[in-house]
Amino acid sequence: MLNGIGGCTIAEAKANISYAEVLAWVAYRDKYGSLSFGRRLELSSAIVALQVNRMNGGKAELVDFMPHAARAEVSLEQALEEWA
C-alpha cells in the first residue's frame, strides 16, 4: 500500500513491472530528476541559495545547500570504521 491509501505493495510492484517500464522510469528520472517531492524542492531551494551565495562573492557548491545529497561514495569498510 502507498501510505495506507491503496495500490499494491512494493513486492507486488516489483513482480509486475516489466523491464521496458523500468527503463522508461530510469529515462524519466535522468531527464527530470528525483521522483521525491522533497528532493525536488531541496534542489530548487539549493539553486536559489547558490545564486544568492555567488552574487555575494561566495564560492559554495550546489551540494553545500543540499543536506540530503550524497557527497561522496563510502566503502563498506570506511562506514564500519566511522560508524562503529
Side-chain angles (χ1 to χ4, degrees):
M1 285 214 222
L2 178 63
N3 295 325
I5 297 171
C8 60
T9 65
I10 293 173
E12 290 171 333
K14 284 182 177 180
N16 294 328
I17 193 167
S18 69
Y19 184 69
E21 188 175 359
V22 169
L23 293 179
W25 280 112
V26 169
Y28 180 89
R29 280 200 58 193
D30 287 345
K31 185 174 182 178
Y32 297 108
S34 176
L35 300 176
S36 166
F37 176 74
R39 295 284 176 115
R40 293 172 77 113
L41 183 61
E42 180 181 64
L43 175 60
S44 300
S45 301
I47 290 170
V48 172
L50 180 65
Q51 294 303 315
V52 170
N53 177 268
R54 296 275 169 92
M55 286 180 0
N56 293 317
K59 303 224 182 279
E61 297 293 325
L62 184 63
V63 73
D64 294 335
F65 300 104
M66 299 177 67
H68 296 101
R71 292 182 180 265
E73 295 287 325
V74 177
S75 71
L76 178 59
E77 291 78 20
Q78 288 173 322
L80 289 174
E81 286 176 13
E82 292 177 15
W83 301 333

Coordinates of all heavy atoms in Angstrom, one line a residue:
M1 N 0.8 -1.2 0.0 CA 0.0 0.0 0.0 C 0.9 1.2 0.0 O 1.9 1.3 0.6 CB -0.9 0.0 1.2 CG -2.0 -0.9 1.2 SD -3.4 -0.2 2.0 CE -4.0 -1.5 2.9
L2 N 0.4 2.3 -0.6 CA 1.1 3.5 -0.6 C 0.6 4.4 0.5 O -0.5 5.0 0.4 CB 0.8 4.2 -2.0 CG 1.5 5.6 -2.2 CD1 3.0 5.5 -2.2 CD2 1.0 6.1 -3.5
N3 N 1.3 4.5 1.6 CA 1.0 5.3 2.7 C -0.5 5.0 3.2 O -1.2 5.9 3.6 CB 1.1 6.8 2.4 CG 2.6 7.1 2.2 OD1 3.4 6.6 2.8 ND2 2.8 8.1 1.3
G4 N -0.9 3.8 3.1 CA -2.2 3.4 3.6 C -3.3 3.9 2.6 O -4.5 3.7 3.0
I5 N -3.0 4.4 1.5 CA -4.0 4.9 0.6 C -4.6 3.8 -0.3 O -5.7 3.8 -0.7 CB -3.4 6.1 -0.3 CG1 -3.0 7.2 0.6 CG2 -4.4 6.5 -1.3 CD1 -2.3 8.3 0.0
G6 N -3.7 2.9 -0.7 CA -4.2 1.8 -1.6 C -3.1 1.5 -2.6 O -2.0 2.0 -2.5
G7 N -3.4 0.7 -3.6 CA -2.3 0.3 -4.5 C -1.7 -1.0 -4.1 O -2.1 -1.7 -3.1
C8 N -0.7 -1.4 -4.8 CA 0.0 -2.7 -4.5 C 1.2 -2.5 -3.6 O 1.7 -1.4 -3.4 CB 0.4 -3.4 -5.8 SG 1.5 -2.4 -6.8
T9 N 1.7 -3.5 -3.0 CA 2.8 -3.5 -2.1 C 4.1 -3.4 -3.0 O 4.0 -3.5 -4.2 CB 3.0 -4.8 -1.3 OG1 3.2 -5.9 -2.2 CG2 1.7 -5.0 -0.4
I10 N 5.2 -3.1 -2.4 CA 6.5 -3.0 -3.2 C 6.8 -4.3 -3.8 O 7.2 -4.3 -5.0 CB 7.6 -2.5 -2.2 CG1 7.4 -1.0 -1.8 CG2 9.0 -2.6 -2.9 CD1 8.3 -0.5 -0.8
A11 N 6.6 -5.4 -3.1 CA 6.9 -6.7 -3.6 C 6.0 -7.0 -4.9 O 6.5 -7.5 -5.9 CB 6.7 -7.8 -2.6
E12 N 4.7 -6.6 -4.8 CA 3.8 -6.8 -5.9 C 4.2 -5.9 -7.1 O 4.2 -6.4 -8.2 CB 2.4 -6.5 -5.5 CG 1.8 -7.5 -4.6 CD 0.4 -7.0 -4.0 OE1 0.2 -5.8 -3.9 OE2 -0.4 -7.9 -3.7
A13 N 4.6 -4.7 -6.8 CA 5.0 -3.8 -7.9 C 6.3 -4.3 -8.6 O 6.4 -4.3 -9.8 CB 5.3 -2.4 -7.3
K14 N 7.2 -4.8 -7.8 CA 8.5 -5.4 -8.4 C 8.2 -6.6 -9.2 O 8.8 -6.8 -10.3 CB 9.5 -5.8 -7.3 CG 10.2 -4.6 -6.7 CD 11.2 -5.0 -5.6 CE 11.9 -3.9 -5.1 NZ 12.9 -4.3 -4.1
A15 N 7.2 -7.4 -8.8 CA 6.9 -8.6 -9.5 C 6.1 -8.3 -10.8 O 6.2 -9.1 -11.8 CB 6.0 -9.6 -8.7
N16 N 5.4 -7.2 -10.9 CA 4.6 -6.9 -12.0 C 5.2 -5.9 -13.0 O 4.6 -5.7 -14.1 CB 3.2 -6.3 -11.5 CG 2.4 -7.4 -10.8 OD1 2.5 -8.6 -11.1 ND2 1.7 -6.9 -9.8
I17 N 6.3 -5.2 -12.7 CA 6.8 -4.2 -13.6 C 7.7 -4.9 -14.6 O 8.4 -5.8 -14.3 CB 7.6 -3.2 -12.8 CG1 7.9 -2.0 -13.7 CG2 8.9 -3.8 -12.2 CD1 8.4 -0.8 -12.9
S18 N 7.6 -4.5 -15.8 CA 8.4 -5.0 -16.9 C 9.7 -4.3 -17.0 O 9.9 -3.2 -16.5 CB 7.6 -4.9 -18.3 OG 7.6 -3.6 -18.6
Y19 N 10.7 -5.0 -17.7 CA 12.0 -4.4 -17.9 C 11.9 -3.1 -18.7 O 12.5 -2.1 -18.4 CB 12.9 -5.4 -18.6 CG 14.3 -4.9 -18.7 CD1 15.1 -4.7 -17.6 CD2 14.8 -4.6 -20.0 CE1 16.4 -4.3 -17.8 CE2 16.1 -4.1 -20.2 CZ 16.9 -4.0 -19.0 OH 18.2 -3.5 -19.2
A20 N 11.0 -3.1 -19.7 CA 10.8 -1.9 -20.5 C 10.3 -0.7 -19.7 O 10.7 0.4 -19.9 CB 9.8 -2.2 -21.7
E21 N 9.4 -1.0 -18.7 CA 8.9 0.1 -17.9 C 9.9 0.6 -16.9 O 10.0 1.8 -16.7 CB 7.7 -0.4 -17.1 CG 7.0 0.7 -16.3 CD 5.7 0.2 -15.6 OE1 5.3 -1.0 -15.7 OE2 5.1 1.1 -15.0
V22 N 10.8 -0.3 -16.4 CA 11.9 0.1 -15.6 C 12.8 1.1 -16.4 O 13.2 2.2 -15.9 CB 12.7 -1.1 -15.1 CG1 14.0 -0.6 -14.4 CG2 11.9 -1.9 -14.1
L23 N 13.1 0.7 -17.6 CA 13.9 1.6 -18.5 C 13.3 3.0 -18.7 O 13.9 4.0 -18.7 CB 14.3 0.9 -19.8 CG 15.2 -0.3 -19.7 CD1 15.4 -0.9 -21.1 CD2 16.5 0.0 -19.1
A24 N 12.0 3.0 -18.9 CA 11.2 4.2 -19.1 C 11.3 5.1 -17.8 O 11.5 6.3 -18.0 CB 9.8 3.9 -19.4
W25 N 11.2 4.5 -16.6 CA 11.3 5.3 -15.4 C 12.7 5.8 -15.2 O 12.9 6.9 -14.8 CB 10.9 4.4 -14.2 CG 9.4 4.4 -14.1 CD1 8.6 3.3 -14.2 CD2 8.5 5.5 -13.7 NE1 7.3 3.7 -14.0 CE2 7.2 5.0 -13.7 CE3 8.7 6.8 -13.4 CZ2 6.1 5.8 -13.4 CZ3 7.6 7.6 -13.1 CH2 6.3 7.1 -13.1
V26 N 13.7 5.0 -15.6 CA 15.1 5.5 -15.5 C 15.3 6.7 -16.4 O 15.9 7.6 -16.0 CB 16.1 4.3 -15.8 CG1 17.5 4.8 -16.0 CG2 16.0 3.2 -14.7
A27 N 14.8 6.6 -17.6 CA 14.9 7.7 -18.5 C 14.2 8.9 -18.0 O 14.7 10.1 -18.1 CB 14.4 7.3 -19.9
Y28 N 13.1 8.8 -17.4 CA 12.3 9.9 -16.8 C 13.1 10.5 -15.7 O 13.3 11.8 -15.6 CB 11.0 9.4 -16.3 CG 10.1 10.5 -15.7 CD1 9.3 11.2 -16.5 CD2 10.2 10.8 -14.3 CE1 8.5 12.3 -15.9 CE2 9.5 11.8 -13.8 CZ 8.6 12.5 -14.6 OH 7.9 13.6 -14.1
R29 N 13.7 9.7 -14.8 CA 14.5 10.2 -13.7 C 15.7 11.0 -14.2 O 16.1 12.0 -13.7 CB 14.9 9.1 -12.7 CG 13.8 8.8 -11.8 CD 14.3 8.1 -10.6 NE 15.2 8.9 -9.9 CZ 16.0 8.5 -8.9 NH1 16.0 7.2 -8.5 NH2 16.8 9.3 -8.3
D30 N 16.4 10.4 -15.2 CA 17.6 11.0 -15.8 C 17.2 12.4 -16.4 O 18.0 13.3 -16.3 CB 18.2 10.2 -16.9 CG 18.9 8.9 -16.3 OD1 19.1 8.9 -15.1 OD2 19.2 8.0 -17.1
K31 N 16.0 12.5 -17.0 CA 15.7 13.8 -17.6 C 15.1 14.8 -16.6 O 15.5 16.0 -16.6 CB 14.6 13.5 -18.7 CG 14.2 14.7 -19.4 CD 13.3 14.4 -20.6 CE 12.9 15.7 -21.4 NZ 12.1 15.4 -22.5
Y32 N 14.3 14.3 -15.6 CA 13.6 15.3 -14.8 C 14.0 15.2 -13.3 O 13.6 16.0 -12.5 CB 12.1 15.0 -14.8 CG 11.5 15.2 -16.1 CD1 11.1 14.2 -16.9 CD2 11.3 16.5 -16.6 CE1 10.5 14.4 -18.2 CE2 10.8 16.7 -17.9 CZ 10.4 15.7 -18.6 OH 9.8 15.9 -19.9
G33 N 14.9 14.3 -12.9 CA 15.4 14.2 -11.6 C 14.6 13.3 -10.7 O 13.8 12.5 -11.2
S34 N 14.8 13.5 -9.4 CA 14.1 12.6 -8.4 C 12.6 12.6 -8.5 O 12.0 13.6 -8.8 CB 14.6 13.0 -7.0 OG 13.9 12.2 -6.1
L35 N 12.0 11.5 -8.1 CA 10.6 11.4 -8.1 C 10.1 12.0 -6.7 O 8.9 12.2 -6.5 CB 10.1 10.0 -8.2 CG 10.5 9.3 -9.6 CD1 10.0 7.9 -9.5 CD2 9.9 10.1 -10.7
S36 N 11.0 12.2 -5.8 CA 10.6 12.6 -4.4 C 10.4 14.1 -4.5 O 11.2 14.9 -4.8 CB 11.8 12.3 -3.5 OG 11.6 13.0 -2.3
F37 N 9.2 14.5 -4.0 CA 8.9 16.0 -4.0 C 9.8 16.7 -3.1 O 10.3 17.8 -3.4 CB 7.4 16.2 -3.5 CG 7.1 17.6 -3.3 CD1 6.8 18.4 -4.4 CD2 7.0 18.2 -2.1 CE1 6.5 19.8 -4.3 CE2 6.7 19.5 -1.9 CZ 6.4 20.3 -3.1
G38 N 10.2 16.1 -1.9 CA 11.1 16.8 -1.0 C 12.5 17.0 -1.6 O 13.1 18.1 -1.5
R39 N 13.0 16.0 -2.4 CA 14.3 16.2 -3.0 C 14.2 17.3 -4.1 O 15.1 18.0 -4.3 CB 14.8 14.9 -3.6 CG 15.1 13.8 -2.6 CD 16.4 14.1 -1.9 NE 16.6 13.2 -0.8 CZ 17.6 12.3 -0.8 NH1 18.5 12.3 -1.8 NH2 17.8 11.5 0.2
R40 N 13.1 17.3 -4.9 CA 13.0 18.3 -5.9 C 12.9 19.7 -5.3 O 13.5 20.7 -5.8 CB 11.7 18.0 -6.8 CG 11.9 16.7 -7.6 CD 10.6 16.3 -8.2 NE 10.4 17.1 -9.4 CZ 10.4 16.7 -10.6 NH1 10.6 15.4 -10.8 NH2 10.2 17.4 -11.6
L41 N 12.2 19.8 -4.2 CA 12.1 21.1 -3.5 C 13.4 21.5 -3.0 O 13.8 22.7 -3.1 CB 11.0 21.0 -2.4 CG 10.8 22.3 -1.6 CD1 10.2 23.4 -2.5 CD2 9.8 22.0 -0.5
E42 N 14.2 20.6 -2.4 CA 15.5 20.8 -1.9 C 16.4 21.3 -3.0 O 17.2 22.3 -2.8 CB 16.1 19.6 -1.3 CG 17.5 19.7 -0.7 CD 18.0 18.5 -0.1 OE1 18.3 17.5 -0.9 OE2 18.2 18.5 1.1
L43 N 16.4 20.7 -4.2 CA 17.2 21.1 -5.3 C 16.8 22.6 -5.7 O 17.7 23.4 -6.0 CB 17.0 20.2 -6.5 CG 17.8 20.6 -7.8 CD1 19.3 20.7 -7.5 CD2 17.4 19.6 -8.9
S44 N 15.5 22.9 -5.8 CA 15.1 24.2 -6.2 C 15.6 25.2 -5.2 O 16.1 26.3 -5.6 CB 13.6 24.3 -6.3 OG 13.1 23.4 -7.3
S45 N 15.5 25.0 -4.0 CA 15.9 25.9 -2.9 C 17.4 26.0 -3.0 O 18.0 27.1 -2.8 CB 15.5 25.4 -1.6 OG 14.1 25.3 -1.5
A46 N 18.1 24.9 -3.2 CA 19.6 25.0 -3.3 C 20.1 25.8 -4.4 O 21.1 26.6 -4.3 CB 20.2 23.6 -3.4
I47 N 19.4 25.8 -5.6 CA 19.8 26.6 -6.7 C 19.6 28.1 -6.4 O 20.5 28.9 -6.7 CB 18.9 26.2 -8.0 CG1 19.3 24.8 -8.4 CG2 19.1 27.3 -9.1 CD1 18.4 24.3 -9.5
V48 N 18.5 28.5 -5.7 CA 18.3 29.9 -5.3 C 19.4 30.3 -4.3 O 20.0 31.3 -4.4 CB 16.9 30.1 -4.7 CG1 16.8 31.5 -4.1 CG2 15.9 29.8 -5.8
A49 N 19.7 29.4 -3.3 CA 20.7 29.7 -2.3 C 22.1 29.9 -3.0 O 22.9 30.8 -2.6 CB 20.7 28.7 -1.2
L50 N 22.4 29.0 -3.9 CA 23.7 29.1 -4.6 C 23.8 30.4 -5.4 O 24.9 31.1 -5.3 CB 23.8 27.9 -5.6 CG 25.1 27.9 -6.4 CD1 26.3 27.7 -5.4 CD2 25.1 26.8 -7.4
Q51 N 22.7 30.9 -6.0 CA 22.8 32.1 -6.8 C 23.0 33.3 -5.8 O 23.8 34.2 -6.1 CB 21.5 32.3 -7.6 CG 21.3 31.3 -8.7 CD 22.5 31.3 -9.7 OE1 23.0 32.4 -10.1 NE2 23.0 30.1 -10.0
V52 N 22.3 33.3 -4.7 CA 22.5 34.4 -3.7 C 23.9 34.3 -3.2 O 24.6 35.4 -3.0 CB 21.5 34.2 -2.5 CG1 21.8 35.1 -1.4 CG2 20.1 34.4 -3.0
N53 N 24.4 33.1 -2.9 CA 25.8 33.0 -2.4 C 26.8 33.6 -3.5 O 27.7 34.3 -3.1 CB 26.1 31.5 -2.2 CG 27.5 31.3 -1.7 OD1 28.4 31.0 -2.6 ND2 27.8 31.4 -0.4
R54 N 26.6 33.2 -4.7 CA 27.5 33.7 -5.8 C 27.4 35.2 -6.0 O 28.4 35.9 -6.3 CB 27.2 33.0 -7.1 CG 27.5 31.5 -7.0 CD 28.9 31.1 -7.3 NE 29.3 29.7 -7.0 CZ 29.2 28.7 -7.9 NH1 28.8 29.0 -9.1 NH2 29.5 27.5 -7.5
M55 N 26.2 35.8 -5.9 CA 26.1 37.2 -6.0 C 26.8 38.0 -4.9 O 27.2 39.1 -5.1 CB 24.6 37.6 -6.0 CG 23.8 37.2 -7.2 SD 22.1 37.6 -7.3 CE 21.7 38.4 -5.8
N56 N 27.0 37.3 -3.8 CA 27.7 37.9 -2.6 C 29.1 37.5 -2.6 O 29.8 37.7 -1.5 CB 27.0 37.6 -1.3 CG 25.6 38.3 -1.3 OD1 25.5 39.4 -1.6 ND2 24.6 37.5 -0.8
G57 N 29.7 37.0 -3.7 CA 31.1 36.6 -3.7 C 31.4 35.3 -3.1 O 32.6 35.0 -3.0
G58 N 30.4 34.5 -2.8 CA 30.7 33.2 -2.2 C 31.2 32.2 -3.3 O 31.0 32.4 -4.5
K59 N 31.8 31.1 -2.8 CA 32.4 30.1 -3.7 C 31.8 28.7 -3.3 O 32.4 27.7 -3.6 CB 33.9 30.1 -3.5 CG 34.5 31.4 -3.8 CD 35.7 31.2 -4.7 CE 36.4 32.5 -5.0 NZ 35.9 33.3 -6.0
A60 N 30.6 28.7 -2.8 CA 30.0 27.4 -2.4 C 29.6 26.6 -3.6 O 29.5 27.2 -4.7 CB 28.7 27.7 -1.5
E61 N 29.4 25.4 -3.4 CA 28.9 24.5 -4.5 C 27.5 24.1 -4.2 O 27.0 24.3 -3.1 CB 29.7 23.2 -4.5 CG 31.2 23.4 -4.8 CD 31.4 23.9 -6.2 OE1 30.7 23.5 -7.1 OE2 32.4 24.7 -6.4
L62 N 26.8 23.7 -5.2 CA 25.3 23.4 -5.1 C 25.1 22.4 -4.0 O 24.2 22.6 -3.2 CB 24.8 22.8 -6.4 CG 23.3 22.6 -6.5 CD1 22.5 23.8 -6.3 CD2 22.9 21.9 -7.8
V63 N 25.9 21.4 -3.9 CA 25.7 20.3 -2.9 C 25.8 20.9 -1.5 O 25.3 20.3 -0.5 CB 26.7 19.1 -3.1 CG1 28.1 19.5 -2.8 CG2 26.2 17.9 -2.4
D64 N 26.5 22.0 -1.3 CA 26.6 22.6 0.0 C 25.2 23.0 0.6 O 25.1 23.2 1.8 CB 27.5 23.8 0.0 CG 29.0 23.5 -0.3 OD1 29.4 22.3 -0.1 OD2 29.7 24.3 -0.9
F65 N 24.3 23.2 -0.3 CA 22.9 23.7 0.1 C 21.9 22.5 0.1 O 20.7 22.7 0.2 CB 22.5 24.8 -0.7 CG 23.4 26.0 -0.6 CD1 24.3 26.3 -1.7 CD2 23.4 26.8 0.5 CE1 25.1 27.4 -1.6 CE2 24.2 27.9 0.6 CZ 25.1 28.2 -0.5
M66 N 22.4 21.3 -0.1 CA 21.6 20.1 -0.2 C 22.0 19.1 0.9 O 22.8 18.2 0.6 CB 21.7 19.5 -1.6 CG 21.2 20.5 -2.7 SD 21.4 19.8 -4.3 CE 20.2 18.5 -4.3
P67 N 21.4 19.2 2.1 CA 21.9 18.3 3.2 C 21.6 16.8 2.9 O 22.2 16.0 3.5 CB 21.1 18.8 4.4 CG 20.0 19.6 3.8 CD 20.4 20.2 2.5
H68 N 20.6 16.5 2.1 CA 20.3 15.1 1.8 C 21.0 14.5 0.6 O 20.8 13.3 0.3 CB 18.8 15.0 1.7 CG 18.0 15.3 2.9 ND1 17.4 16.5 3.1 CD2 17.9 14.7 4.1 CE1 16.9 16.6 4.3 NE2 17.1 15.5 4.9
A69 N 21.8 15.3 -0.1 CA 22.5 14.8 -1.2 C 23.8 14.1 -0.8 O 24.4 14.5 0.2 CB 22.9 15.9 -2.2
A70 N 24.1 13.0 -1.5 CA 25.3 12.2 -1.1 C 26.5 13.0 -1.6 O 26.5 13.4 -2.8 CB 25.2 10.9 -1.8
R71 N 27.4 13.3 -0.8 CA 28.6 14.0 -1.2 C 29.7 13.1 -1.8 O 30.4 13.5 -2.7 CB 29.2 14.7 0.0 CG 28.3 15.9 0.5 CD 28.9 16.6 1.6 NE 28.1 17.7 2.0 CZ 28.2 18.9 1.6 NH1 29.1 19.3 0.8 NH2 27.3 19.8 2.1
A72 N 29.8 11.9 -1.3 CA 30.9 11.0 -1.8 C 30.5 9.6 -1.5 O 29.8 9.3 -0.5 CB 32.2 11.3 -1.2
E73 N 31.0 8.7 -2.3 CA 30.8 7.3 -2.0 C 31.6 6.8 -0.8 O 32.7 7.3 -0.6 CB 31.2 6.4 -3.2 CG 30.4 6.7 -4.5 CD 29.0 6.1 -4.4 OE1 28.9 5.0 -3.8 OE2 28.1 6.7 -4.9
V74 N 31.0 6.0 0.0 CA 31.7 5.5 1.2 C 31.7 4.0 1.1 O 30.7 3.3 0.8 CB 31.0 5.9 2.5 CG1 31.7 5.3 3.7 CG2 30.9 7.4 2.6
S75 N 32.9 3.4 1.2 CA 33.0 1.9 1.1 C 32.4 1.3 2.4 O 32.3 2.0 3.4 CB 34.5 1.5 0.9 OG 35.2 1.7 2.1
L76 N 32.1 0.1 2.3 CA 31.6 -0.6 3.5 C 32.6 -0.6 4.6 O 32.3 -0.4 5.8 CB 31.3 -2.1 3.1 CG 30.8 -3.0 4.3 CD1 29.5 -2.4 4.9 CD2 30.5 -4.4 3.8
E77 N 33.9 -0.8 4.3 CA 34.9 -0.8 5.3 C 35.0 0.6 6.0 O 35.1 0.7 7.2 CB 36.3 -1.1 4.7 CG 36.4 -2.6 4.3 CD 35.7 -2.8 2.9 OE1 35.5 -1.9 2.2 OE2 35.3 -4.0 2.7
Q78 N 35.0 1.7 5.2 CA 35.0 3.0 5.8 C 33.8 3.3 6.7 O 33.9 3.8 7.7 CB 35.0 4.1 4.7 CG 36.3 4.2 3.9 CD 36.2 5.1 2.7 OE1 35.1 5.1 2.1 NE2 37.2 5.9 2.4
A79 N 32.6 2.8 6.2 CA 31.4 3.0 7.0 C 31.5 2.3 8.4 O 31.2 2.8 9.4 CB 30.2 2.6 6.2
L80 N 32.0 1.1 8.3 CA 32.1 0.3 9.6 C 33.1 1.0 10.5 O 32.9 1.0 11.7 CB 32.5 -1.1 9.3 CG 31.5 -2.0 8.6 CD1 32.0 -3.3 8.2 CD2 30.3 -2.2 9.5
E81 N 34.2 1.5 10.0 CA 35.2 2.1 10.8 C 34.7 3.4 11.5 O 34.9 3.7 12.6 CB 36.5 2.5 10.0 CG 37.3 1.3 9.7 CD 38.5 1.7 8.8 OE1 38.8 2.9 8.7 OE2 39.1 0.7 8.2
E82 N 34.0 4.2 10.7 CA 33.5 5.5 11.1 C 32.2 5.4 12.0 O 32.1 6.2 12.9 CB 33.1 6.4 9.9 CG 34.4 6.8 9.1 CD 34.0 7.6 7.9 OE1 32.9 8.1 7.8 OE2 34.9 7.8 7.0
W83 N 31.4 4.5 11.7 CA 30.1 4.4 12.4 C 30.0 3.4 13.6 O 29.0 3.3 14.3 CB 29.0 4.1 11.4 CG 28.9 5.2 10.4 CD1 29.3 6.5 10.5 CD2 28.4 5.0 9.1 NE1 29.1 7.1 9.3 CE2 28.5 6.2 8.4 CE3 27.9 3.9 8.3 CZ2 28.1 6.4 7.1 CZ3 27.5 4.1 7.0 CH2 27.6 5.4 6.4
A84 N 31.1 2.6 13.7 CA 31.0 1.5 14.7 C 31.6 2.1 16.1 O 32.1 3.1 16.2 CB 31.9 0.3 14.3

